[in-house]
Amino acid sequence: MPNKTVTYAEAIREALREEMRRDPAVFLIGEDIGVYGGAFGVTQGLIEEFGEERVIDTPISEAAIAGAAIGASLVGMRPVAEIMFFDFMTLCADQVVNQAAKIRFMFGGKAKVPMVLRSPVGSGTGAAGHHSGSLESWFTHIPGLKVVAPATPYDAKGLLKSAIRDDNPVLFVEHKLLYRTKGEIPEEDYQIPIGKGEIKHQGKDVTLIAYSIMVPRSLEAAKILAQQGIEAEVLDLRSLRPLDEELILQSVRKTNRAMVIYEPSKFGAFGAEIAALIMEKAFDYLDAPVIRLGGEEMPPPYNPNLEKKLVPQVEDIVRSVREMVI
Amino acid sequence: MEQKERILKMYEMMYLIRKYEERVNSLFLQGILPGTIHQSLGQEACAVGMLFDLEANDYVVSTHRPAGHALAKGVPLRSMMAEMFGKSTGCCRGKGGSMHVGDIRVGMPPAIAIVGGGLPIAVGLGLACKMKGTDRVVICFFGDGASNEGAFHEALNGAAIWNLPVIFACENNLYAASTRVDKVMKIEHIAERASAYGIPSRIVDGMDVLKVNEEARMAIERARNGKGPTLLELKTYRFCGHSRTDSCRYRDKKEEEHWRSRDPIHNLRSHILQEHIADEESLQVLENQVLEDIEESVQYALSSPDPEPEEALKHVFYGE
């Protein structure tokens, strides 16, 4: 089958459309997702095909959006909720953390919560303190939640399909700067399994462990590093929880060096978990301490130059790898 | 069912809830049960009046004070009691305890113990009922305290604009834990809040099961016929503390006496005798049977196995 080129946003839309065609239990719920097509245009055209019964525009009520998704999923529906900005996850945190994640367990396994919560993270759009957050680490801490964060159109479509068909609550972390990036996807149906990472670029000197926006940045850095004689392997986690531990350990055992690259503020974020994992399970293979290259310890600023400083850029990755390897 | 028979069934269920709660309380005081309890003594008419006419495939969403709702919705007594003991035969396999009882087979998801947290979930259940084209309805219990949560606002507004078959049943027992409702609200009746969402509401005597049931039936009928949500404010009182260790120092003794004189079970019993719905002897037979059932459930719980240690990590994710 021939491949086609689509954007990350289009890939997500295709997954939504195909899953809604396949299964009448799948529906969308969120703010401005109907005629408006979502704050980032992801759901454009879906209300025209599926109607307002299955593409439900909501009030600005994040707790009601998440709660409605939970309630509906408890009795056989498969809702895909959109939270317009990941910063707004704070407004439905009770529903996600206390309800969606725990209901199955508290009920002794006698219910399931097959829902997806899509939401975009990330700075880089000049949206400042309340619309640029990357809070995905918080939710990886919650047993009962799955968290995925694809970096490419191909992975986005395949992972979203898996998330919709999964019988657990899945947080689907999108990135604003990725929406317009392009990539190839096949015409036929496919899924990317949740919990499986991928080596996006082979190398032998150091493993760059990344997800979401940091994957293309790490690939870019790897190119530059190659010209300088450093062969960096780029490992895309794709899923944060469950985590593909084996892939991480295999790669580190090969390269003997690891750098974890992520957008959230460095302190207490997901990268520390990866670093600890490597320390616990591949310590003897390490030629250098595991490095965390995370975001700065500050809220997202408005000024573009300040904003750039918040998050690791390609040149930061190149510089840090050189310091580590040479 | 004839009205006389209905009244006797309601009495039986209220009596069961009362005696269940008392028995559970004594087991706690003896140190036999772990954890804590939030009991519904005094509020039995709310649970029974609201849920008496629901079908098994209708839904109820409950709170941290769920025992009455669960029994009235048909969660088996044995599985309730076993859950109090944390046994593997409990309705949550010993993983939920007193605040999360339920049984999806009788239309009750686990009780939601975050105050106000159940309200948005009830909206989701109602949404699913509507999307599937069924005539099922949802009754969502919450307290006076929950009506001060943001989730209350979001849920009622959502149910209103989507015209969902959800009945919001506010058990106003005058106290959010220790805080009296008039200290945290400038209005006298929570029912007034419904008008802000375009939802009809009624103020109901929550100590009179027949009055509660009459209003419930009208609200259920509305919801079944696609006419949308209703808010019922049930004026009630808990005869016990907020939780196990609460001695109610914040409540006026005269106020307590006043409400105790309105005991919904005692008053219904008098009504039954006065109206010759049943005689003393047959009521005693009925009551003794309830007490026997409760003792049997305690024995069942005691003889049930604890969950195996390896059960601990199960049920975090589906499919593992």
Side-chain angles (χ1 to χ4, degrees):
Chain A
M1 292 273 258
N3 286 357
K4 58 181 176 184
T5 301
V6 297
T7 66
Y8 185 87
E10 285 165 349
I12 293 167
R13 187 184 310 138
E14 277 204 10
L16 294 173
R17 179 181 287 123
E18 288 171 19
E19 290 303 292
M20 289 177 83
R21 284 179 183 165
R22 186 186 61 80
D23 183 354
V26 177
F27 72 95
L28 312 184
I29 184 166
E31 294 159 9
D32 302 307
I33 63 170
V35 175
Y36 190 69
F40 295 92
V42 172
T43 54
Q44 262 168 28
L46 296 180
I47 196 167
E48 285 78 1
E49 179 171 350
F50 299 103
E52 58 186 21
E53 289 76 27
R54 291 181 70 195
V55 181
I56 303 174
D57 271 325
T58 69
I60 303 178
S61 298
E62 286 78 11
I65 294 168
I70 295 166
S73 73
L74 278 170
V75 291
M77 303 300 285
R78 290 189 170 274
V80 182
E82 176 173 317
I83 300 298
M84 189 186 278
F85 287 84
F86 212 94
D87 312 71
F88 307 167
M89 291 291 288
T90 55
L91 297 163
C92 55
D94 168 54
Q95 291 298 323
V96 178
V97 172
N98 289 317
Q99 315 303 350
K102 293 180 187 169
I103 280 179
R104 177 173 177 75
F105 183 84
M106 293 193 309
F107 217 15
K110 293 180 182 174
K112 59 182 183 181
V113 185
M115 61 176 276
V116 179
L117 214 53
R118 297 176 36 241
S119 189
V121 296
S123 66
T125 63
H130 287 169
H131 297 79
S132 307
S134 297
L135 308 180
E136 65 273 18
S137 299
W138 297 6
F139 297 91
T140 65
H141 181 63
I142 310 299
L145 292 181
K146 294 186 177 181
V147 183
V148 301
T152 67
Y154 178 81
D155 289 342
K157 183 175 178 185
L159 269 173
L160 185 51
K161 288 200 160 205
S162 295
I164 291 171
R165 297 181 201 185
D166 199 288
D167 281 323
N168 294 285
V170 182
L171 247 65
F172 192 84
V173 182
E174 301 169 8
H175 199 290
K176 286 161 231 159
L177 296 184
L178 292 174
Y179 279 134
R180 291 185 187 177
T181 60
K182 288 182 179 169
E184 287 202 344
I185 60 171
E187 293 283 355
E188 68 269 20
D189 184 43
Y190 71 97
Q191 291 182 70
I192 304 287
I194 295 174
K196 289 287 171 201
E198 187 183 54
I199 303 295
K200 287 280 201 281
H201 180 75
Q202 300 271 350
K204 63 172 177 49
D205 296 326
V206 58
T207 303
L208 307 183
I209 301 165
Y211 62 90
S212 191
I213 187 72
M214 291 302 151
V215 173
R217 286 196 190 155
S218 297
L219 287 168
E220 189 69 28
K223 262 191 215 166
I224 297 167
L225 288 163
Q227 290 161 5
Q228 302 171 5
I230 298 169
E231 291 181 36
E233 177 144 303
V234 178
L235 189 159
D236 178 3
L237 293 170
R238 299 197 293 199
S239 294
L240 308 190
R241 190 162 189 172
L243 183 65
D244 193 345
E245 287 193 10
E246 203 38 52
L247 187 71
I248 296 168
L249 297 174
Q250 272 172 16
S251 177
V252 172
R253 285 181 198 127
K254 181 178 81 176
T255 65
N256 311 116
R257 289 186 184 84
M259 179 178 296
V260 198
I261 303 158
Y262 52 101
E263 173 156 354
S265 297
K266 179 177 167 183
F267 188 97
F270 189 68
E273 185 60 37
I274 306 291
L277 167 79
I278 296 167
M279 234 72 95
E280 282 175 0
K281 297 194 175 170
F283 184 77
D284 290 341
Y285 292 86
L286 290 175
D287 286 346
V290 179
I291 299 292
R292 288 171 295 153
L293 187 61
E296 294 288 347
E297 303 303 318
M298 63 186 194
Y302 170 62
N303 176 288
N305 292 327
L306 299 184
E307 192 185 28
K308 255 191 148 183
K309 192 165 164 41
L310 171 70
V311 179
Q313 305 294 325
V314 174
E315 55 271 27
D316 300 319
I317 301 171
V318 171
R319 188 178 55 248
S320 300
V321 171
R322 286 180 59 81
E323 283 167 10
M324 184 184 196
V325 174
I326 295 169
Chain B
M1 205 186 295
E2 239 187 285
Q3 182 63 0
K4 283 186 175 182
E5 200 185 333
R6 287 170 57 86
I7 290 173
L8 279 176
K9 289 254 177 235
M10 285 188 215
Y11 178 76
E12 183 180 5
M13 182 53 74
M14 285 166 66
Y15 188 78
L16 169 65
I17 295 169
R18 173 71 56 91
K19 293 299 162 186
Y20 169 88
E21 294 280 47
E22 287 177 357
R23 188 72 177 94
V24 166
N25 189 43
S26 77
L27 289 163
F28 266 100
L29 293 179
Q30 291 167 55
I32 295 171
L33 302 184
T36 187
I37 38 171
H38 304 81
Q39 299 203 292
S40 63
L41 296 152
Q43 302 180 198
E44 297 89 348
C46 301
V48 175
M50 287 303 305
L51 299 177
F52 193 78
D53 288 287
L54 281 196
E55 305 291 336
N57 57 12
D58 293 317
Y59 299 107
V60 63
V61 174
S62 184
T63 69
H64 58 288
R65 204 177 297 290
H69 308 148
L71 289 168
K73 190 68 177 76
V75 178
L77 170 62
R78 282 172 145 202
S79 75
M80 292 272 294
M81 190 62 87
E83 188 60 31
M84 296 308 102
F85 282 77
K87 295 298 182 78
S88 63
T89 54
C91 57
C92 302
R93 291 195 171 104
K95 287 179 165 174
S98 69
M99 288 188 277
H100 303 298
V101 292
D103 189 333
I104 204 76
R105 288 169 304 183
V106 298
M108 184 172 176
I112 303 296
I114 301 287
V115 172
L119 287 142
I121 296 174
V123 168
L125 291 167
L127 190 62
C129 292
K130 191 178 171 189
M131 291 180 84
K132 290 175 170 178
T134 70
D135 68 348
R136 294 181 182 188
V137 303
V138 183
I139 289 182
C140 177
F141 285 101
F142 59 101
D144 43 284
S147 79
N148 283 337
E149 289 277 6
F152 168 86
H153 168 70
E154 293 192 19
L156 267 75
N157 190 49
I161 58 168
W162 295 319
N163 202 42
L164 299 181
V166 181
I167 296 122
F168 294 99
C170 178
E171 294 176 286
N172 180 356
N173 65 14
L174 296 182
Y175 292 86
S178 74
T179 305
R180 202 170 197 283
V181 66
D182 53 15
K183 204 172 161 184
V184 291
M185 231 175 259
K186 290 286 276 184
I187 52 175
E188 189 182 351
H189 306 297
I190 290 162
E192 291 172 36
R193 293 188 165 174
S195 68
Y197 310 104
I199 294 179
S201 67
R202 301 279 288 180
I203 297 165
V204 189
D205 180 358
M207 304 305 267
D208 183 334
V209 71
L210 299 179
K211 286 185 180 151
V212 174
N213 183 247
E214 195 184 328
E215 294 293 343
R217 277 190 292 168
M218 284 194 281
I220 292 166
E221 170 105 356
R222 264 179 55 80
R224 275 208 209 291
N225 291 321
K227 292 183 178 160
T230 305
L231 170 64
L232 299 180
E233 180 185 3
L234 316 172
K235 303 282 192 185
T236 186
Y237 204 75
R238 61 172 148 75
F239 292 170
C240 51
H242 162 67
S243 62
R244 184 164 58 125
T245 51
D246 175 16
S247 58
C248 298
R249 283 185 298 121
Y250 47 86
R251 291 203 308 208
D252 182 68
K253 294 303 152 204
K254 278 196 181 137
E255 179 186 279
E256 288 187 353
E257 278 165 28
H258 164 72
W259 283 93
R260 278 187 184 281
S261 75
R262 308 203 54 239
D263 186 325
I265 295 174
H266 179 84
N267 289 351
L268 185 63
R269 196 178 199 281
S270 303
H271 174 78
I272 288 169
L273 292 173
Q274 263 169 23
E275 300 294 320
H276 305 292
I277 295 168
D279 58 18
E280 178 64 36
E281 194 183 339
S282 54
L283 278 183
Q284 280 180 17
V285 170
L286 175 156
E287 288 164 356
N288 286 336
Q289 185 58 50
V290 166
L291 296 176
E292 263 179 50
D293 291 346
I294 290 172
E295 281 323 299
E296 196 276 336
S297 76
V298 173
Q299 292 313 312
Y300 172 77
L302 283 169
S303 63
S304 289
D306 273 317
E308 296 294 326
E310 47 276 18
E311 276 275 302
L313 291 174
K314 278 190 190 162
H315 311 124
V316 179
F317 287 104
Y318 185 89
E320 282 182 4

